[in-house]
Each structure stands twice: as structure tokens, then as C-alpha cells.
Amino acid sequence: MMKTSHGFALAGIAIILLAIAPLIVSDYWTGVLLGMTGYVTLATAWALFSGPTRYISLATVAFFGVGAYTVAVLNEALPYPLVLICAAGIGMVMALVVGLSTLRLAGVYFVIFTFGLAELVRQTVSWWEVNVTYTMGRYVFLPFEGRHIYWQLLALAVVTFLIAWTIGRSRIGLALKALGDDETVAAHAGVDVTRIKLLLFVISSTIITLVGAIQAPRWTYIEPSIVFNPTVSFMTLIMALLGGAMRLWGPLVGAVPLFLLFEWLSVSFPDHFSIILGLLFILIVFVMPNGVLAKIEDLRKRGRA
Amino acid sequence: MNKTLFEAARLTRRQTACALAALAIAVGAHGVAAQDRDKVTIGYAISKSGPNAGGADMTVTPNYELWVQEVNAAGGLTLPDGSQLPIEVIAYDDRSSAEEVVRAVERLATQDEVDIILPPWGTGFNLAVAPLMAKFGYPHLAGAAVTDKASDFVERWDTSFWFMGGSVDYVSAFTDILVAEREAGRINDKIAMISVADGFGIDLVKAARPSFEAAGFDITYDKSFPPETSDFATILNEAANSEADTFVAFTYPPHTFALTKQAKVASYSPPVFYLGVGAGFPVYPGIAGGSVEGVMSLGGIDPDNELNSAYRAKHEEIVGRAPDYWGSVLIYASLQMLEQTIERVGLDKSAIADELSTGTFSTVLGEETRLENNQLRAINWVGQWQDGQFVAVSAEGGGGTVAAELPKPDWE
Amino acid sequence: MLEHVVNGLVLGGTYALVAMGLTIQYGIARIMNLGFGDMIIAACFATYVLSTTLSINPIVSLLIIVPAGYAVSDVIYRVLMKPLVDRAPDDGALEVDSILVTFGLLFVIQGVLLAIFGGGYTSYSFLNTPVNVLGTVVAGNRLLALVLSLLIGGALVVILFRSRWGMILRAVALAPHSAPLFGIDTDRAARTAFAIGGAMAATGGVVVSMFQTFTATAGVVFTMKALIVVILGGKGSVPGAIVAGLLLGLVETFVAAYVDPGLTLAAVYTVFLVLLLVRPNGLFGKA
């Protein structure tokens, strides 16, 4: 058994190594680290809510896009830190409204609802830009290079892990375990199910909004079809599920290899990316239905037996 | 908990290390040492899949392939000393994702270390990669990008070059034709206008509103629609009810095709029928199901330009289909300019950029093609289907254009 | 006013036609098929190829493509879905698994289409002839979609509610775990339902290809529209899919005519979200 302090020391070293990496590696690898850190944060934040509640959310890109768009709209009007705070605030309010109105839906209805929400937000933003502000594309000229964005994302990732870790150890964490096992039992045992679900949804969505906001300066030009790209929701989902959404490290274990795999596929098989991706997906479901971590534990148990 | 944490951390590190190693090997196999110089490496990231693939597949990718094949068939790119080097291509799919296109360009610049990077398709994506191209010193020949801010961008990134003009150019050339037609008494002063709620449509409509109004036109119907729209029965109905003689639609190919089909069904044939991207595709008459005489759009070619005719024949022979009548020829001309630049100054990136800015070139557009403030201005702004060809038109004709023939005849 | 009703119903006919197959797959076979739209696109391309290379009339090609859709879906069910159904401990697990597997299927179909046809726009003209309906001129090919959806929908309702075979299918949909106790072969019933859904995706694809421009990657648009219609109508309900499809067509047309064409999709999603909150089981769904 390893002590918590050892774990922290180890994590600390890893973070320092990751933080100095862009000073050593090329811009391309910084870009890869950036994209990877973005998805690790997205997947961890996603699992924060969807793991214990087992609600499969496809609204990731709704919040991600809102974050990016906030930066696009405000980047010339406000100093950058204030822009980020605004983005987080908007994401939080949106999550509260959505959470209050939808968290009683379950199963596939929630899935479809969240996808619909992402589309609705995109259509509304488009319509607003076209008919009210008369602008479609917006420019973000912030003096950030890849590594600046990467450092911000890395910091956000660390915060996200700390939040997930704290929740896992707190009283809420215990309540969540009950919630995941059986919502009715949890409710009878005095757990305020709705409040906890809402709290998690808001925290998770705010982090996702911030990821979008931080990544926005990377593209210079922002329009709804660029930032509300549904692929973001799908990628986040599959990464978290692959690693195992119920575990703290699950999303990370899913996001890192999948991201590198996608990168490798687009480098080596640019013309057959879709087919290989699809086949892999099917394979994952058949071979590792509960995620990589569960599969490893399973194998280890069997090895001991 | 701690145990899993530890195991996971160890596992993750090992996995990452393995994956990184595998990736490095895979990428390394593609990487090309720039020094050995037995070839010129040219890289590009283009949307082979996703929503942008349709546009890229029509206007950009075939021209890249055609040009590379032609150059290599002739022995390769000629350098100033007269020697020739074959082109090797590294092509990625950006999957219509902005993040992907940015990373692909970083990969081409710092990992593959290619000699030249060709641009992606679309205004947004060209702007997304522009800061990187400038940072790594690559000349950026932005082909498929319509923007009114080209001059600002040239100031910001002085190695960027813009080949497709801006919305104001297209709209004001079209307004000139409308004014002449109104003075000739062939159309009234009402315009019905629709646009796709996307970068392209909005940019054009923003330029069109003041241009039409300054010319004394009354825009009686002015709506945008979401890009996913596939049924235009109601919109065309409302446009027809607005009593405008001029119908303008700043659209993408799916809408352009659907609008044409619906206009035929509804027998809606206003004197001026102007559509967006797609009306200049060679397949357009077939998709519309017969004659599209009189339909107007952006672009157009000069049928008397033999260089252009030769290019179209070559494109059909090698790619297997004809190029479109708007962007293709501009993209191809940009590649020809690049080819001649390399012949004059070699592969030094900043020398290439300087020569592109100041040189005069012989391209499919004409014997003396040159850029003004890093922008191509010798563009045909308005085209019209006349006798089965999509020709460049102007109010009076001349200068490589013919006179617009209006009013548009009824659909057959 | 009347013209908007006619236009709305004609547009809605397409939605209904596309959604019926999905509602059967989801309601009876219990497979949430995210690759449904890509099957439609595959049928679009098949029609296009048959029509341009062998000059087979698209309506005649229904005779080839629809049985092919049935057969392909039957195989897909046997190979991909059956193992998932067998191992799933409960309905929730099957739902998640089927979403993930068909998501993979989506990419495979899309990738194959990309490899064969490239990413460009494909479109052709067929039956684009004006037909006068109650004073409103509509396109013949779109009207065909409405007529087909009503005919097929009617036939399905009759089969489901009047035949012994339909009763078996409904029994499997309602109580998949107790149906075997009555000697019902649930596996065969679910496979048949999935294959019928595939055949209907093929039908939808053939008709849609006549008027809509399609690309290899456009499938997800159809999937989403169909999903909305299915959820609105209530999962597994054929009449629900027809009513919800027509309703969406009317909503889009009226918003385009009286509010703003830019808000049609926003309106659709609003209707969808509001209805989901008020009636989570859809118009015709059972709690």
C-alpha cells in the first residue's frame, strides 16, 4: 500500500515534468500535449458527473463552445483573466438552468436531450450573431502560443483532479457511491440526490466551459461550426468510458492512449481514419465493456486465482 | 484507492512511454531530412472527411494532385541552377476540425519539416493556420478563402497571400450589373435575398446590404437559414411573394442544388437568379436536371482564354472530372506562381515570399499575373450560365468578360 | 396558410419515413442504432450508382436496395448485436453497449463510403416534377416520400396490431424477458425487427437521394432528425413516428414562414426539449 503523501509527491513530479516539457520538445509535440491535456481534463470533468450518476451527457460541446465563444466575444473588451471568469460564470449559470430542468430525465432521454441542447445552443448563437450582432466569424488575437495555452490547461487539469479526488474522499463521495448503486436506496438513506447531482453537473460543466475558453486563442478565427463541433462530445465520452468513468484515474487512462492513437492514425492512415476508428470502437465494446482499469483489475484477479 | 492510484500511475506512464515511442517511430518514418535534397517535400492538411470535405474535394484537392502529377511528370520542380527535384507529398486529413488542422500544420512544420506547406480549404481554417505559417516562416498562399480583411491580414502576417478576393468585390461587381439592368428597364428595384448562416453567407450578405441599398435597391426579403436546411419550398414561396425581380442566395452547394430544384418545381424564375457556391460546378446543370441558362453566381471563366481551356482539358484528363468555374482556376494559378517562384529563387522560404509579392508570372489566368499588396485581383467576380458554359460577365462585357444576358429565360 | 400546411406535411413525410425504421429498431429490437443515418446515406449512394451506371430507375431500384438493406441489417444483428444482447445484464447496459457499438458502425460505414466515393457532394435529379396538391405546387419526389411513409406506416400498423406475427413483435418489445416463457423466439423476433428497420432505412435513402444533396459524412444529420422524431413519438411507436414527423415538418414550415427561417432548427429543438420535459415518454409512449 502506498501512502497518500507518496502519491502526491509522484503526481507533483509528473506535473513538473509535464510543465517543462514544452521548453524541450518541438511545437508539434507541445500541440499534442496540449490536445491531450485538453481531452484529459474534459474526460475527467465529464466523469465527475456522469460516472457516479450514470447519466451519459452529450452536452460537453455545448459548454465547451460557450466557453470558446465567450472568449471570442470578450477578448478585446476585457483583460484576459476577467474573460475567463466571465466564461466560467456563464457556464455555471447555464449548467444551473439546464441541471434544474433536466436532471429528472433518465437513460436515453437524457442522452438525446443533451445532444439536442448542444445543437440548440449552436443554432441560437448562430442566429444571434447573424441577426442581432451582424457578425459571424470572430477573431481572437491574443498573444498566446501553444505552450501558454498548454500551461493553462495543465493547471486546470490539476485543479480538476484535485476536485475529483476531494469529492471522492468526502462525505459526498460516499453518498455518490450509494447514488450510483441505487438511487432510491440513496434517497431513503437521507441523501439529497437531486442536490448532489446538480452540484456535480455544475462543477463538471464549469470546468468544461473553461477548457473551451482556454483553447479558443488557438484558432484565431471562431465561428459556431468550429467551436460547436459535436466530435468533442463524442471523443470525451468514449475516452472516459474506455478508461472507466467510475474511477478517478479512469478518464486519464482512457484519454491518453486514445488521443495518441487518433494522432497516430491521422498521421499513418489519413485516408482510412474513419474505418479504423470505427473498428476499434466496436472492439473496445466487445473486449473491455467496463473500461481499461476494470479490465486490468479483472485480469489481475484472475492471475492470482 | 491508493493502490489503484499507484498502479494506474505506473501503468499510465508505461503506456504513455510505449505509445510515444511507437508514435515517434511512425512519425519518424514520414519525417524527411531537409538536407539530402533529392526531392522537395510539400505538405498539406485538407478536409478529406467531415462537413468541409465537399468543398475541398471540388476546389482544392484535385488541383494539388493535378499540379504535383504534372510537375513530377515533367521531371520535378526546377531550381535556379536548372536542376530538377521531384515533389514528395505529405497529406493529412484535418477531419473538418479546427484543432486538427492547427496540429497538422505544426506537425508538417516541425516534425515532417516539409519545404512548402499548401493551405487548407475554407476561410476559417486558413485563418486558423495563418499565425503558424507566419511563425514558421512558410509563405501562406491562402487559396480557398474569401475575406474582406485580406489587407489587414497581410499587414499582420506579411508572408500571407490571398487569392480569392473579398465579399465586397463580388457584391459590388454584381451590383454594377443590377444597376445597368435597372436603368435598361429590365428589372425593378426590389431584391429578395437569402443567405446561409455560416461564415461565407454572412460575410457576403454583410457586404451586400449596404451595396444594394447605396445603389437604390430595396431589399424586400432578407433572411438567413441554418446550414442544415434542406427544404426551401417555404423560403422560395416567401421570396416570390416579395415581388422582387432579383433573387440572391449566398449559399453552399447543397442549398444551391436544392434551391434550383425547388425553383423549377415552383416555376419560380425571376429575371435575375443569383446563387452561391455550387452553381459554378460543372455538374450543376446535370443536378438541376437540364438547362440552367441565365443562372448567375460567383466566378466564371473567359471562354476565349486558351490557357484556361487547356487547363480545363488537362484537369478533366488527369482528375477524371472538370474543375469548377470559380475557385479551381485560382488555386491552380497560385500553384503555378509557386512553381515559377521556386525556379527563380530556390527553396528559401523568405525569398519565395518576396518573389511572390513582387514578381510577375505566367499562369492560366494570363501571361502577366501579379499580386497587388499580396492579393490576387485578376479575378472574375460574376459568372452566368450561357450556352452550357459558366462564363464571366459584366454589365457591358470586355476585359475577359461578356455582357450579362438578362432577364434569365424561364426554366425548361 | 393552406400552402404552409401542405408544404409542412410534405416535408414531415420525409422525417416520418426516415424515423419509422429507427423506432422499430429501438423499440422492438432494443438497439439504439446511431449508424442508422449512415445506412440511409449508403442507400443514397447505392441508388445513385444504380441510376448512373446501370441506368436503373430509382423507383425500380427500391426492389434491389430494400431487400439488400434487410439482408445487411440481418447480418449486422447476428454478428454485432446478438452477443451484446446475450451478455447484457439489464436494459440499461444493452442501451449503453448498443450506443457505443453502433457509434463504431457509423464510422465504419462512413469510412467505407469515403474510401469509395470521396467526400464530395452527390446529387442528381429525378421526379423533380411539379404536382398540384390542393392548390400548392410541391415536388413529386418529396410527395413520394410522404405517400410512401403513410403507406408503409399504415402497413406496419396493420401487421403489428392485426397479425399473430405482429403480436409476437409487440410482446418482445413490451416484455423481452418474459416473452420466451410463452415460447416466443425473442432472438428471431428482435433480429427481424432490426432487419425491417434496416430495410426502411434503405427505403428512406432511395427516396431522399432523389431530392437531397448528400455526402459520405452526412449520415449523422439523418440520425439526429430521426432520433428526435422517435423520442417525440414514443419509442417503438409507428403511429407516433408518423405524427411526430409530420408535426416537425409543420413546425419548421410555419416558423420559416411566419417567424424566421434562421430559427427553424432552434424551434425544432425547443419543441423537442419542452415536450421531453412535459411528456418524457413521447406523444404515444407508454410510461
Side-chain angles (χ1 to χ4, degrees):
Chain A
M1 284 275 183
M2 194 184 58
K3 286 200 186 104
T4 312
S5 57
H6 288 174
F8 268 103
L10 210 74
I13 294 171
I15 293 163
I16 291 170
L17 284 178
L18 283 170
I20 55 172
L23 304 173
I24 305 159
V25 299
S26 74
D27 280 10
Y28 164 64
W29 283 108
T30 306
V32 170
L33 282 172
L34 186 162
M36 201 160 74
T37 315
Y39 270 114
V40 166
T41 318
L42 285 179
T44 310
W46 183 89
L48 204 58
F49 166 72
S50 294
T53 60
R54 301 198 179 160
Y55 275 53
I56 295 188
S57 163
L58 284 177
T60 312
V61 81
F63 292 100
F64 180 90
V66 162
Y69 230 91
T70 309
V71 174
V73 174
L74 295 178
N75 80 88
E76 274 164 14
L78 291 174
Y80 181 67
L82 273 183
V83 175
L84 284 190
I85 291 171
C86 279
I90 293 172
M92 205 181 280
V93 171
M94 195 170 114
L96 265 175
V97 173
V98 172
L100 281 172
S101 55
T102 64
L103 286 179
R104 61 200 186 87
L105 294 171
V108 79
Y109 297 104
F110 186 80
V111 181
I112 309 299
F113 182 95
T114 48
F115 190 93
L117 178 78
E119 283 299 304
L120 178 65
V121 172
R122 176 159 87 117
Q123 298 293 344
T124 313
V125 170
S126 295
W127 185 85
W128 181 268
E129 290 283 74
V130 170
N131 293 284
V132 181
T133 59
Y134 302 112
T135 43
M136 196 59 174
R138 287 179 178 272
Y139 301 96
V140 181
F141 290 120
L142 287 168
F144 291 148
E145 285 183 26
R147 60 174 188 274
H148 303 121
I149 299 171
Y150 166 65
W151 283 324
Q152 295 176 52
L153 278 178
L154 189 64
L156 184 63
V158 171
V159 172
T160 309
F161 269 97
L162 282 176
I163 292 174
W165 181 76
T166 316
I167 291 179
R169 285 169 56 99
S170 66
R171 266 189 53 228
I172 300 179
L174 290 174
L176 285 174
K177 288 207 177 73
L179 188 73
D181 291 338
D182 191 328
E183 210 170 280
T184 333
V185 173
H188 281 298
V191 179
D192 189 344
V193 178
T194 315
R195 241 178 67 205
I196 291 178
K197 280 199 283 190
L198 186 63
L199 180 73
L200 288 182
F201 188 67
V202 170
I203 295 176
S204 154
S205 305
T206 309
I207 297 171
I208 291 171
T209 313
L210 275 173
V211 176
I214 292 174
Q215 282 204 11
R218 192 153 157 80
W219 306 316
T220 310
Y221 178 83
I222 290 194
E223 62 177 39
S225 60
I226 289 180
V227 293
F228 291 101
N229 187 341
T231 322
V232 174
S233 299
F234 291 128
M235 289 288 192
T236 305
L237 171 112
I238 192 67
M239 284 168 173
L241 289 183
L242 171 67
M246 295 294 285
R247 291 165 172 80
L248 175 62
W249 296 99
L252 177 106
V253 173
V256 171
L258 263 194
F259 187 85
L260 291 174
L261 178 76
F262 291 155
E263 195 62 23
W264 178 67
L265 285 181
S266 28
V267 172
S268 312
F269 304 98
D271 294 329
H272 300 97
F273 182 86
S274 296
I275 299 182
I276 298 173
L277 179 68
L279 291 175
L280 271 169
F281 233 91
I282 295 172
L283 199 71
I284 287 170
V285 179
F286 276 92
V287 181
M288 291 182 281
N290 296 315
V292 175
L293 285 185
K295 181 78 184 173
I296 291 161
E297 271 172 25
D298 196 37
L299 287 176
R300 216 172 43 205
K301 267 184 217 150
R302 238 184 280 167
R304 278 202 207 114
Chain B
M1 176 70 206
N2 282 331
K3 187 164 172 122
T4 20
L5 182 147
F6 177 69
E7 296 284 341
R10 205 178 59 189
L11 179 95
T12 317
R13 260 181 295 121
R14 207 164 48 205
Q15 267 185 346
T16 317
C18 289
L20 281 174
L23 203 56
I25 293 166
V27 175
H30 277 272
V32 177
Q35 294 84 351
D36 51 64
R37 274 281 161 262
D38 53 356
K39 63 196 167 211
V40 176
T41 47
I42 291 187
Y44 56 87
I46 200 103
S47 306
K48 296 182 184 185
S49 56
N52 294 351
D57 183 60
M58 185 75 229
T59 309
V60 178
T61 327
N63 286 295
Y64 288 175
E65 288 167 359
L66 167 66
W67 177 70
V68 169
Q69 201 166 332
E70 279 186 314
V71 168
N72 281 346
L77 280 172
T78 310
L79 294 177
D81 62 6
S83 65
Q84 282 191 311
L85 289 176
I87 297 175
E88 188 191 79
V89 171
I90 298 177
Y92 297 123
D93 177 8
D94 64 37
R95 305 201 294 279
S96 302
S97 142
E99 175 61 25
E100 223 33 68
V101 78
V102 165
R103 208 164 48 241
V105 167
E106 280 175 344
R107 190 190 302 135
L108 287 167
T110 66
Q111 208 65 26
D112 304 330
E113 295 179 348
V114 296
D115 297 306
I116 299 288
I117 297 178
L118 298 178
W121 178 89
T123 313
F125 281 21
N126 267 294
L127 285 169
V129 304
L132 294 173
M133 298 287 273
K135 177 181 166 195
F136 297 121
Y138 284 95
H140 178 193
L141 294 85
V146 175
T147 169
D148 282 324
K149 295 197 170 161
S151 297
D152 299 348
F153 296 144
V154 170
E155 214 163 288
R156 189 177 282 272
W157 305 296
D158 61 2
T159 53
S160 68
F161 303 88
W162 305 83
F163 286 84
M164 235 178 183
S167 308
V168 171
D169 302 314
Y170 290 97
V171 168
S172 54
F174 178 54
T175 310
D176 289 345
I177 296 179
L178 289 182
V179 169
E181 290 301 311
R182 188 184 54 192
E183 276 164 12
R186 284 192 283 267
I187 59 171
N188 63 16
D189 64 350
K190 294 193 173 76
I191 294 178
M193 177 164 71
I194 64 167
S195 54
V196 55
D198 210 330
F200 169 81
I202 301 318
D203 214 45
L204 276 152
V205 93
K206 244 171 77 187
R209 278 190 199 114
S211 178
F212 292 159
E213 274 160 14
F217 284 97
D218 181 14
I219 306 175
T220 49
Y221 185 74
D222 181 3
K223 297 286 180 189
S224 74
F225 59 87
E228 294 85 353
T229 308
S230 62
D231 176 65
F232 290 92
T234 308
I235 291 178
L236 271 190
N237 220 342
E238 298 294 307
N241 289 341
S242 72
E243 292 172 358
D245 279 349
T246 304
F247 176 76
V248 181
F250 298 115
T251 49
Y252 281 134
H255 322 122
T256 303
F257 302 153
L259 273 168
T260 311
K261 290 180 183 177
Q262 181 61 34
K264 289 190 125 172
V265 166
S267 305
Y268 175 55
S269 183
V272 179
F273 193 70
Y274 180 98
L275 300 175
V277 191
F281 287 5
V283 289
Y284 176 66
I287 287 170
S291 168
V292 290
E293 187 73 12
V295 173
M296 302 176 84
S297 179
L298 307 86
I301 60 157
D302 172 8
D304 298 330
N305 180 343
E306 281 165 19
L307 294 166
N308 199 324
S309 312
Y311 155 71
R312 298 189 70 81
K314 191 89 183 167
H315 190 290
E316 233 178 313
E317 179 197 326
I318 292 184
V319 181
R321 56 194 156 98
D324 72 307
Y325 286 96
W326 174 30
S328 278
V329 71
L330 303 176
I331 306 279
Y332 188 78
S334 76
L335 297 171
Q336 286 184 309
M337 291 170 65
L338 179 68
E339 182 183 341
Q340 289 161 34
T341 304
I342 291 172
E343 187 169 352
R344 291 175 204 167
V345 301
L347 288 165
D348 180 70
K349 296 186 193 95
S350 64
I352 292 178
D354 288 344
E355 178 62 22
L356 278 173
S357 282
T358 54
T360 302
F361 306 88
S362 158
T363 69
V364 280
L365 299 173
E367 294 293 347
E368 292 194 354
T369 308
R370 59 175 75 85
L371 300 182
E372 296 166 37
N373 188 23
N374 286 12
Q375 296 159 53
L376 182 68
R377 304 297 301 164
I379 299 173
N380 294 323
W381 306 111
V382 189
Q384 185 181 34
W385 283 97
Q386 293 182 3
D387 297 326
Q389 281 227 69
F390 190 69
V391 297
V393 293
S394 58
E396 308 285 319
T401 64
V402 298
E405 281 175 19
L406 292 166
K408 166 185 141 21
D410 280 344
W411 302 107
E412 276 172 13
Chain C
M1 177 69 189
L2 183 64
E3 58 185 315
H4 300 315
V5 174
V6 172
N7 278 329
L9 290 177
V10 170
L11 176 63
T14 307
Y15 297 155
L17 179 64
V18 167
M20 275 190 292
L22 188 66
T23 206
I24 288 175
Q25 288 190 337
Y26 183 40
I28 298 175
R30 294 183 299 146
I31 302 293
M32 173 86 242
N33 185 2
L34 290 185
F36 191 78
D38 298 84
M39 293 182 174
I40 293 176
I41 294 289
C44 286
F45 275 106
T47 317
Y48 177 73
V49 168
L50 288 179
S51 134
T52 49
T53 58
L54 303 174
S55 12
I56 295 177
N57 180 313
I59 291 182
V60 178
S61 72
L62 277 172
L63 298 175
I64 304 166
I65 295 170
V66 173
Y70 186 96
V72 169
S73 301
D74 185 275
V75 173
I76 289 177
Y77 188 88
R78 282 171 201 265
V79 176
L80 287 181
M81 307 306 166
K82 180 82 196 338
L84 297 182
V85 175
D86 288 347
R87 84 171 188 206
D90 55 70
D91 282 359
L94 177 60
E95 201 159 271
V96 172
D97 277 356
S98 67
I99 286 177
L100 294 177
V101 158
T102 53
F103 188 54
L105 187 65
L106 176 166
F107 278 108
V108 173
I109 300 176
Q110 186 173 305
V112 170
L113 291 176
L114 273 173
I116 302 174
F117 299 101
Y121 300 104
T122 309
S123 187
Y124 65 95
S125 198
F126 179 77
L127 213 63
N128 193 46
T129 40
V131 180
N132 193 317
V133 180
L134 303 174
T136 305
V137 177
V138 298
N141 42 29
R142 286 182 183 267
L143 190 64
L144 176 70
L146 174 63
V147 171
L148 269 183
S149 69
L150 293 179
L151 280 181
I152 295 175
L156 278 173
V157 169
V158 170
I159 292 172
L160 282 175
F161 289 92
R162 290 279 177 271
S163 75
R164 188 183 145 67
W165 190 57
M167 197 189 71
I168 291 176
L169 288 185
R170 279 187 297 136
V172 171
L174 284 175
H177 302 294
S178 30
L181 302 177
F182 297 91
I184 292 174
D185 184 349
T186 44
D187 174 48
R188 181 154 165 256
R191 194 176 68 230
T192 313
F194 190 80
I196 291 177
M200 299 195 50
T203 315
V206 172
V207 179
V208 163
S209 75
M210 296 176 196
F211 51 86
Q212 198 154 326
T213 305
F214 48 94
T215 65
T217 46
V220 68
V221 180
F222 288 101
T223 311
M224 278 327 294
K225 256 295 161 34
L227 262 180
I228 290 174
V229 175
V230 168
I231 304 292
L232 269 183
K235 85 178 209 190
S237 166
V238 173
I242 295 180
V243 171
L246 296 179
L247 181 75
L248 280 195
L250 287 172
V251 168
E252 280 195 24
T253 305
F254 273 84
V255 169
Y258 294 113
V259 187
D260 187 336
L263 287 175
T264 46
L265 292 184
V268 164
Y269 285 114
T270 310
V271 167
F272 170 67
L273 298 186
V274 169
L275 200 102
L276 208 51
L277 293 173
V278 181
R279 271 192 75 94
N281 290 310
L283 292 172
F284 287 62
K286 292 165 196 74

